[in-house]
Amino acid sequence: MTAKGSTGMEVLLSTLENTKDLQTILNILSILVELVSGGGGRRASFLVSKGGSQILLQLLVNASKESPPHEELMVQIHSILAKIGPKDKKFGVKARINGTLNITLNLVKQNLQNHRLVLPCLQLLRVYSANSVNSVSLGKNGVVELMFKIIGPFSKKNSSLMKVALDTLAALLKSKTNARRAVDRGYVQVLLTIYVDWHRHDNRHRNMLIRKGILQSLKSVTNIKLGRKAFTDANGMKILYNTSQLPVIPVTGPVAQLYSLPAEVDDVVDESDDNDDIDLEAENETENEDDLDQNFKNDDIETDINKLKPQQEPGRTIEELKMYEHLFPELIDDFQDYDLISKEPKPFVFEGKVHGPIIVPTAGEEASGNSGNLRKGLAMKENGSPKGDKKATLVDPAKEDIKDNDRTLQQQLGDQNRTTSSVHGLNNDIVKALDRITLQNIPSQTTPGFATGMKKDHGLPLTVLTCTKACPHLATCGNVLFEGRTVQLGKLCCTGVETEDDEDSESNSSVEQASVEVPDGPTLHDPDLYIEVVKNTKSVPEYSEVAYPDYFGHIPPPFKEPILERPYGVQRTKIAQDIERLIHQSDIIDRVVYDLDNPNYIIPEEGDILKFNSKFESGNLRKVIQIRKNEYDLILNSDINSNHYHQWFYFEVSGMRPGVAYRFNIINCEKSNSQFNYGMQPLMYSVQEALNARPWWIRMGTDICYYKNHFSRSSAAAGGQKGKSYYTITFTVNFPHKDDVCYFAYHYPYTYSTLQMHLQKLESAHNPQQIYFRKDVLCETLSGNSCPLVTITAMPESNYYEHICQFRNRPYVFLSARVHPGETNASWVMKGTLEYLMSNSPTAQSLRESYIFKIVPMLNPDGVINGNHRCSLSGEDLNRQWQSPNPDLHPTIYHAKGLLQYLAAVKRLPLVYCDYHGHSRKKNVFMYGCSIKETVWHTNDNATSCDVVEDTGYRTLPKILSHIAPAFCMSSCSFVVEKSKESTARVVVWREIGVQRSYTMESTLCGCDQGKYKGLQIGTRELEEMGAKFCVGLLRLKRLTSPLEYNMPSSLLDFENDLIESSCKVTSPTTYVLDEDEPRFLEEVDYSAESNDELDIELVENAGDYEPSAQEEVLSDSELSRTYLP
């Protein structure tokens, strides 16, 4: 009997378990069927939690003992078991132990004509079959043969029974044992015949689910090799291909509505979990596999409160950490030997002086009145031509269109000026040779006219391009050796510089020099310096070539690039073309045209074949196969010392013809989905365009999609999992120029040599009296490359004690980037951060006076150099090594963590740690942080969540960025700590080092779907702007968290308390609704509703457009803070 206070469900189950009265049992079962049918999954789960599964299974056993069994009773029991079974993770085991598998199977065998009884029995068999051990057991008892009896010859009668039988069969055939049984009995041909019959007779498309069920069964049986062979032998490829062609679409009806839906990502996109295709051998399975049936919680979320609580762990002794003292000279230097700005003693009193409003140029904003000084015109210099050619001039690129986008370079070095790289024109006869050429320095005195007016170190070294073949227009030629090593550029295009005015262009024009006119000042790109840096860069393949984009440099284009809208059906078309390869194999060329694995491979010389190359820094392309005349399959390299991580690509293409649509298929990608399905395009850099004064990467390609292909990954390459498939990125390109040299990349390349060049230029250009800048070597990588460590802050006002103390007591901010080589956008964000920190703007100076920045701009130099996507040379993901880094295998992580441990040991814990990353599946820029309370909430343990008290200061910086950075999206941020991320930098620095504001900042590879940049693909301008805005956010954070130091008014202090300390109702993991009724520092988490904070939305939309006027520049910082923050 039930105890006092039992629920109604418990009373019903208890009565059902103990009564022997048939009518009572039927009445209770009828009630239970209604309950679980109307309450969704919650009621079924509740019934399972009260032991309903076991009671009903035992009732089924008892009812089967009657002869004949009561039909109504069997119908009711099977109906309710079919509904609650999926909610019970142990249901398969319980059914097998109780012996109900054969009971249900025998009922179907004995009552094939009784469709009312067979239907719920089949539904329950489907649930049984979810457990692979049960599936094998049923197969041995003839269930596969039974299913084919039911789905038998084509008949439109009892279509509902047919649907359930096919679902059951598809589940049964997931077992390899059952699939082999089906193949041995010739059922693959039967399935194809049935499918053709249904396809032929279902003209009005009313039985789509039946046809889908047959296809699911075919998919299950073809998971084994025998099944695939039987399928192809039965001409299955051609049958399915012919039946998959789009039918004549009716004008009205449900099918017409289906095809009139708005264009979205095709329904062909495989969005299923990667594990769906894993086929486990039933004979090796254990009872524990029933735990994998279905899980309704995110098991990856950390649930142990003790593990979640930050616990500072020294890790290494203070004696061991003393090895890092030399990397912190700012803590001991007395600056007696420095030429500081002021030598006069001043009282150590902060005057509350505001250095002006915070102004960071926003990408795409209209230039101010002096924008004429920023014009990036380009004029060709005249060289004496052997034939006295006319002077060729290039008009200002996009001069009329650039006005609203001319802020491109303002983020770099503040108001200083910069010069972009020289560009070169070549004679047609020279470049048609298409031979490798080298760079050779020419003394400046040989070109007095070109160097006139240039400041020291502000212009770019002049170079001449030479080739290896004799040429009537040049006196000398040949390769130039740099200290025994040849550094070569890739091929130049076969057409000379195409001028904007055809009248100024002649076929035999001489070698001409081109320079981009920009304001006087240092530039961060120097082609000759880049070549010098490349000579000292160590790579595994020992690259000797330099890619032109890395040599010329990249300038953001003066136009916006919208997210690509893809027409519906393009993915279906691409897959159909892939299938045609197998059906019409005689049409396939199948010729290897590029192969890194065969060093002796001879490149075909035919004129209509594209030529490929990836033998340069960060390049990645392993093999190219020509499939059709203008279609190529591309295979990427895995990360070095790894057999997977294929995603990053960077390669060169030449020998193209204009007006031809070339299709490229990268066929060994691994991620299950990509932003290529949602509007992202690959990057292309044209050398011809660069010579025409357009040296920039642009988004290129049409008919782009990303889908699972038929190439299977080995279990070793899939981490031991079987059944994994590769994915294809496909895109079509029409090249604008004949015989151009073009480069394609996954994202904007940023090489290790580029970083070293930028750091050298920053170091040489800074004002040592104003900016404290140090570039140290953190350590050497496995390949012997140095990992740079940068320190940036403001020089002390004088070398007197008070100013030195203020200097040493500045809080630290620790930044890192590029731990994953394929996330090149992280380096562009870091570039924006570094250039803003080194700029001359008053706010940058204020920021330097507020913090000491320790920056590791590239944590994985070896991976970047060698074109890896995720790993270092050890073949490991370095962002999973932070818990226990090995000094020999993971030196950069070991020593970066050592720096943080040293700061913790000397009681100088960083205020903020941020690791810059890129994200391949999301749009916008966002952050991941760490919160105990929000993590506990996601475990659905509300009682535990209510007991957690936590300072919500970790949300302040992301909230600030959401108001000042147009690309930043607060709603994409997350502060949950997952088990799989416990060894990442963010979590380890938070938990072990004790930094509350420990973040990963993720930047999209695609674009934005909110804010000012909504609908646009992201570019380097926006990424660098994000890096600068991050700096502004840090200054705002300083002024919010250190009010006494800045002597801010009480009104701003009240605002700070509202933002950081007051109780907040967090209505989603990323939004605030302030509630003044709650006590301070307590947060009631309520994620049940969305935020209606209209002020937040308005500020986010308008913040990016805000630019202070001249009158506003005198506003106090507190007033500006109120402008940006709620």
Side-chain angles (χ1 to χ4, degrees):
M1 298 297 292
T2 56
K4 184 178 180 180
S6 300
T7 63
M9 185 72 77
E10 290 172 330
V11 172
L12 288 174
L13 291 175
S14 177
T15 305
L16 187 64
E17 185 177 18
N18 295 294
T19 185
K20 303 297 183 182
D21 182 64
L22 179 61
Q23 191 59 47
T24 303
I25 293 174
L26 289 173
N27 291 340
I28 293 175
L29 290 175
S30 179
I31 293 171
L32 292 178
V33 169
E34 289 188 21
L35 284 173
V36 297
S37 298
R42 290 186 301 109
R43 292 181 181 176
S45 298
F46 184 73
L47 180 58
V48 169
S49 68
K50 298 302 178 183
S53 300
Q54 183 61 41
I55 293 172
L56 289 166
L57 286 169
Q58 187 59 49
L59 182 62
L60 175 58
V61 173
N62 295 336
S64 67
K65 295 177 181 178
E66 299 182 12
S67 183
H70 193 280
E71 179 181 331
E72 182 63 27
L73 181 59
M74 286 298 185
V75 170
Q76 295 281 21
I77 295 174
H78 281 84
S79 297
I80 193 168
L81 282 173
K83 292 181 182 297
I84 70 171
K87 301 297 182 183
D88 188 347
K89 292 189 289 184
K90 291 289 185 181
F91 187 77
V93 176
K94 294 175 183 176
R96 189 162 62 250
I97 292 174
N98 282 280
T100 60
L101 302 181
N102 289 331
I103 293 174
T104 303
L105 181 58
N106 290 331
L107 272 176
V108 177
K109 289 180 179 180
Q110 297 164 10
N111 299 274
L112 281 176
Q113 305 305 316
N114 188 347
H115 296 162
R116 183 173 180 272
L117 176 58
V118 170
L119 184 61
C121 290
L122 289 176
Q123 291 172 337
L124 186 55
L125 282 174
R126 170 67 182 87
V127 179
Y128 290 158
S129 303
N131 178 280
S132 52
V133 177
N134 289 349
S135 184
V136 172
S137 177
L138 288 168
K140 291 178 180 178
N141 290 322
V143 69
V144 175
E145 295 82 354
L146 181 61
M147 292 301 105
F148 277 95
K149 284 184 181 180
I150 296 174
I151 66 176
F154 170 77
S155 173
K156 288 191 176 181
K157 296 180 180 179
N158 304 312
S159 59
S160 59
L161 186 67
M162 182 79 168
K163 295 173 187 175
V164 178
L166 286 168
D167 286 343
T168 306
L169 180 61
L172 289 165
L173 293 178
K174 287 184 178 180
S175 161
K176 290 183 179 180
T177 303
N178 290 338
R180 282 193 291 266
R181 182 175 287 107
V183 172
D184 292 341
R185 286 162 175 73
Y187 289 146
V188 174
Q189 179 67 62
V190 174
L191 284 171
L192 287 169
T193 302
I194 295 173
Y195 178 77
V196 171
D197 287 341
W198 277 98
H199 178 79
R200 183 182 300 116
H201 292 93
D202 189 23
N203 297 323
R204 305 183 71 177
H205 307 289
R206 292 182 175 178
N207 295 290
M208 299 287 282
L209 291 178
I210 292 178
R211 291 152 65 182
K212 181 179 179 181
I214 300 172
L215 293 175
Q216 289 284 5
S217 298
L218 284 169
K219 179 182 177 183
S220 296
V221 81
T222 52
N223 279 333
I224 64 173
K225 290 183 180 179
L226 283 175
R228 291 192 287 273
K229 185 178 185 303
F231 178 78
T232 53
D233 290 347
N235 206 21
M237 291 296 297
K238 190 170 184 179
I239 290 173
L240 293 189
Y241 176 78
N242 291 335
T243 57
S244 66
Q245 302 309 301
L246 291 179
V248 178
I249 302 172
V251 179
T252 59
V255 178
Q257 295 176 4
L258 175 67
Y259 284 101
S260 63
L261 291 176
E264 296 178 352
V265 175
D266 299 358
D267 55 1
V268 182
V269 175
D270 187 307
E271 294 183 350
S272 60
D273 186 84
D274 286 345
N275 296 323
D276 285 350
D277 292 333
I278 298 174
D279 195 2
L280 301 175
E281 192 64 64
E283 291 78 2
N284 297 329
E285 293 178 0
T286 64
E287 301 296 329
N288 293 334
E289 287 173 353
D290 293 287
D291 295 335
L292 303 176
D293 283 356
Q294 198 157 5
N295 195 351
F296 301 98
K297 292 195 298 184
N298 185 352
D299 286 339
D300 193 31
I301 295 178
E302 181 59 74
T303 57
D304 189 340
I305 293 294
N306 293 325
K307 288 185 178 180
L308 283 173
K309 291 180 179 178
Q311 299 173 352
Q312 279 189 253
E313 301 176 5
R316 285 181 258 178
T317 63
I318 190 66
E319 288 75 17
E320 292 177 302
L321 293 173
K322 283 183 179 179
M323 63 183 292
Y324 300 110
E325 280 184 346
H326 73 284
L327 297 176
F328 294 90
E330 65 273 9
L331 296 179
I332 57 175
D333 202 332
D334 58 8
F335 293 90
Q336 295 301 315
D337 299 328
Y338 284 75
D339 183 19
L340 300 178
I341 296 175
S342 173
K343 290 283 186 179
E344 297 298 326
K346 295 183 180 179
F348 184 59
V349 177
F350 183 76
E351 301 176 352
K353 183 184 296 183
V354 178
H355 297 279
I358 299 173
I359 303 174
V360 177
T362 299
E365 289 181 353
E366 185 174 350
S368 57
N370 61 351
S371 62
N373 295 330
L374 299 175
R375 184 171 59 86
K376 295 180 285 293
L378 185 130
M380 298 293 297
K381 300 292 183 180
E382 180 179 11
N383 272 310
S385 168
K387 295 187 178 183
D389 295 341
K390 295 181 182 179
K391 182 197 301 183
T393 55
L394 291 178
V395 301
D396 185 62
K399 181 177 180 181
E400 299 300 323
D401 301 332
I402 205 171
K403 292 181 179 179
D404 295 333
N405 298 282
D406 211 11
R407 313 279 305 203
T408 304
L409 305 179
Q410 284 194 19
Q411 299 169 31
Q412 305 178 14
L413 301 179
D415 296 328
Q416 296 184 34
N417 303 321
R418 59 178 292 176
T419 305
T420 56
S421 59
S422 301
V423 293
H424 311 274
L426 287 185
N427 182 277
N428 287 340
D429 297 332
I430 300 174
V431 295
K432 284 181 180 178
L434 285 177
D435 283 327
R436 300 291 165 197
I437 54 181
T438 62
L439 294 172
Q440 179 180 7
N441 291 334
I442 289 183
S444 59
Q445 61 265 25
T446 62
T447 54
F450 182 77
T452 302
M454 287 192 175
K455 296 182 179 180
K456 183 179 180 180
D457 293 333
H458 291 178
L460 297 178
L462 182 63
T463 60
V464 66
L465 303 172
T466 66
C467 77
T468 56
K469 290 190 176 183
C471 176
H473 299 295
L474 291 179
T476 60
C477 60
N479 289 337
V480 179
L481 297 179
F482 293 101
E483 300 175 2
R485 179 180 172 190
T486 303
V487 181
Q488 300 176 315
L489 278 175
K491 294 175 283 197
L492 270 181
C493 45
C494 284
T495 56
V497 177
E498 292 184 359
T499 60
E500 302 296 336
D501 189 349
D502 292 337
E503 294 179 357
D504 294 332
S505 176
E506 294 192 16
S507 61
N508 57 353
S509 60
S510 64
V511 176
E512 298 165 315
Q513 307 296 337
S515 65
V516 181
E517 294 180 357
V518 296
D520 294 337
T523 173
L524 289 190
H525 190 84
D526 183 333
D528 281 2
L529 177 58
Y530 185 84
I531 294 296
E532 291 300 315
V533 172
V534 168
K535 291 189 300 182
N536 298 317
T537 299
K538 302 177 179 66
S539 61
V540 172
E542 297 185 354
Y543 297 128
S544 60
E545 300 173 13
V546 175
Y548 268 97
D550 303 324
Y551 172 76
F552 277 138
H554 162 76
I555 299 174
F559 49 82
K560 299 176 180 178
E561 297 181 286
I563 290 175
L564 183 68
E565 292 187 8
R566 193 175 78 192
Y568 182 85
V570 63
Q571 187 159 304
R572 182 185 299 273
T573 302
K574 297 294 184 182
I575 294 176
Q577 291 173 359
D578 289 350
I579 295 171
E580 289 173 0
R581 299 187 191 183
L582 304 176
I583 299 174
H584 308 295
Q585 297 186 12
S586 59
D587 297 339
I588 303 304
I589 299 175
D590 197 26
R591 173 168 52 181
V592 176
V593 297
Y594 180 72
D595 190 358
L596 279 184
D597 296 324
N598 184 3
N600 299 321
Y601 182 76
I602 300 175
I603 301 175
E605 293 296 333
E606 288 89 338
D608 58 346
I609 296 179
L610 294 181
K611 297 172 179 60
F612 296 83
N613 181 40
S614 61
K615 299 174 184 178
F616 45 80
E617 186 175 348
S618 295
N620 190 331
L621 181 64
R622 179 175 181 174
K623 192 173 185 177
V624 181
I625 304 168
Q626 185 181 20
I627 300 301
R628 298 181 178 93
K629 182 177 181 181
N630 299 317
E631 181 178 354
Y632 297 84
D633 278 357
L634 282 63
I635 300 174
L636 304 179
N637 275 313
S638 62
D639 286 3
I640 291 179
N641 290 322
S642 170
N643 51 20
H644 51 138
Y645 297 119
H646 309 86
Q647 206 77 19
W648 165 259
F649 58 87
Y650 183 19
F651 58 89
E652 171 195 291
V653 180
S654 60
M656 66 285 293
R657 290 177 293 132
V660 176
Y662 292 94
R663 178 182 172 184
F664 299 98
N665 311 306
I666 301 174
I667 62 174
N668 64 331
C669 298
E670 295 181 356
K671 290 182 178 291
S672 61
N673 209 343
S674 168
Q675 283 293 315
F676 283 115
N677 275 334
Y678 306 96
M680 184 169 82
Q681 296 172 278
L683 275 301
M684 190 186 86
Y685 190 105
S686 165
V687 173
Q688 182 66 68
E689 289 294 299
L691 295 175
N692 286 338
R694 293 182 285 272
W696 47 62
W697 288 93
I698 60 171
R699 302 280 184 170
M700 179 64 76
T702 57
D703 293 346
I704 302 170
C705 48
Y706 187 94
Y707 56 89
K708 184 187 294 186
N709 59 37
H710 63 284
F711 299 109
S712 296
R713 297 166 60 186
S714 67
S715 59
Q721 298 177 352
K722 297 180 180 179
K724 288 271 192 175
S725 295
Y726 283 110
Y727 290 77
T728 293
I729 301 171
T730 181
F731 56 94
T732 301
V733 175
N734 283 277
F735 295 99
H737 305 288
K738 181 181 179 181
D739 292 328
D740 196 359
V741 177
C742 294
Y743 293 79
F744 289 94
Y746 183 61
H747 198 67
Y748 300 93
Y750 191 100
T751 65
Y752 170 79
S753 299
T754 299
L755 171 67
Q756 293 285 43
M757 175 188 65
H758 285 170
L759 291 179
Q760 288 189 38
K761 299 296 286 187
L762 286 172
E763 184 175 23
S764 63
H766 83 283
N767 180 357
Q769 288 189 321
Q770 188 178 30
I771 302 175
Y772 181 94
F773 179 92
R774 279 182 59 91
K775 183 167 77 73
D776 297 293
V777 175
L778 175 64
C779 62
E780 281 198 348
T781 65
L782 296 181
S783 192
N785 295 292
S786 62
C787 179
L789 170 67
V790 176
T791 306
I792 301 175
T793 187
M795 293 293 286
E797 190 171 347
S798 73
N799 54 15
Y800 284 89
Y801 175 77
E802 294 85 352
H803 294 147
I804 298 300
C805 284
Q806 190 276 338
F807 174 88
R808 293 178 181 175
N809 288 322
R810 294 169 187 166
Y812 275 91
V813 170
F814 201 107
L815 305 177
S816 60
R818 207 67 186 281
V819 69
H820 294 146
E823 297 168 4
T824 58
N825 45 358
S827 283
W828 289 101
V829 176
M830 179 59 75
K831 179 174 182 282
T833 294
L834 288 169
E835 292 180 6
Y836 185 82
L837 289 176
M838 297 294 289
S839 68
N840 291 332
S841 69
T843 50
Q845 178 63 18
S846 179
L847 185 64
R848 291 191 294 267
E849 292 171 354
S850 302
Y851 298 109
I852 299 175
F853 287 87
K854 283 288 181 184
I855 302 174
V856 185
M858 191 171 284
L859 278 168
N860 192 352
D862 287 346
V864 172
I865 293 167
N866 292 286
N868 284 5
H869 178 67
R870 196 168 184 87
C871 298
S872 67
L873 291 192
S874 67
E876 298 169 286
D877 182 348
L878 291 183
N879 202 35
R880 296 297 185 274
Q881 310 302 326
W882 278 79
Q883 276 186 326
S884 302
N886 184 299
D888 298 319
L889 294 178
H890 324 117
T892 60
I893 305 302
Y894 180 83
H895 293 294
K897 185 177 181 180
L899 294 180
L900 290 159
Q901 289 173 324
Y902 178 83
L903 288 173
V906 299
K907 310 302 180 186
R908 298 298 305 274
L909 209 60
L911 179 68
V912 172
Y913 171 78
C914 190
D915 193 20
Y916 292 0
H917 282 257
H919 206 288
S920 66
R921 303 195 201 186
K922 288 187 176 181
K923 291 182 170 65
N924 310 309
V925 181
F926 51 93
M927 276 181 160
Y928 293 137
C930 302
S931 164
I932 301 176
K933 198 174 184 74
E934 295 193 31
T935 303
V936 171
W937 176 86
H938 276 276
T939 65
N940 296 323
D941 191 350
N942 293 323
T944 306
S945 178
C946 293
D947 296 336
V948 176
V949 177
E950 184 178 38
D951 181 3
T952 59
Y954 62 88
R955 282 179 166 269
T956 310
L957 182 57
K959 191 68 174 177
I960 293 171
L961 291 176
S962 71
H963 290 156
I964 65 175
F968 195 89
C969 179
M970 187 72 184
S971 63
S972 295
C973 297
S974 174
F975 304 94
V976 174
V977 179
E978 297 166 312
K979 295 177 184 177
S980 61
K981 305 297 176 64
E982 288 182 345
S983 57
T984 61
R986 165 178 60 99
V987 178
V988 170
V989 172
W990 170 71
R991 179 181 293 162
E992 295 184 19
I993 310 299
V995 179
Q996 182 200 25
R997 295 181 176 89
S998 179
Y999 305 104
T1000 295
M1001 187 163 74
E1002 302 273 359
S1003 300
T1004 179
L1005 293 169
C1006 177
C1008 298
D1009 60 10
Q1010 54 83 44
K1012 180 177 181 179
Y1013 302 135
K1014 181 177 181 179
L1016 299 178
Q1017 295 187 76
I1018 202 160
T1020 57
R1021 179 189 292 111
E1022 292 77 22
L1023 291 170
E1024 291 184 49
E1025 177 196 70
M1026 186 65 236
K1029 295 286 188 180
F1030 181 82
C1031 295
V1032 177
L1034 290 174
L1035 190 55
R1036 294 300 172 85
L1037 179 67
K1038 174 71 174 179
R1039 293 173 178 176
L1040 289 173
T1041 56
S1042 303
L1044 295 179
E1045 180 181 346
Y1046 280 85
N1047 195 23
M1048 293 189 294
S1050 59
S1051 59
L1052 188 56
L1053 294 180
D1054 293 338
F1055 163 73
E1056 174 200 350
N1057 291 333
D1058 284 342
L1059 178 63
I1060 304 175
E1061 300 177 353
S1062 72
S1063 147
C1064 306
K1065 284 188 177 180
V1066 183
T1067 59
S1068 77
T1070 54
T1071 53
Y1072 272 32
V1073 175
L1074 298 177
D1075 187 345
E1076 298 177 354
D1077 296 331
E1078 294 292 329
R1080 293 174 184 270
F1081 293 106
L1082 293 179
E1083 184 181 23
E1084 180 181 315
V1085 181
D1086 178 12
Y1087 294 92
S1088 59
E1090 293 295 329
S1091 170
N1092 292 318
D1093 194 348
E1094 296 178 357
L1095 177 60
D1096 281 4
I1097 298 172
E1098 181 180 353
L1099 283 172
V1100 170
E1101 291 177 348
N1102 297 334
D1105 298 323
Y1106 176 79
E1107 171 128 46
S1109 63
Q1111 293 81 2
E1112 288 176 308
E1113 291 184 357
V1114 299
L1115 291 175
S1116 69
D1117 193 70
S1118 61
E1119 292 172 317
L1120 283 171
S1121 297
R1122 284 195 293 274
T1123 303
Y1124 281 98
L1125 298 173

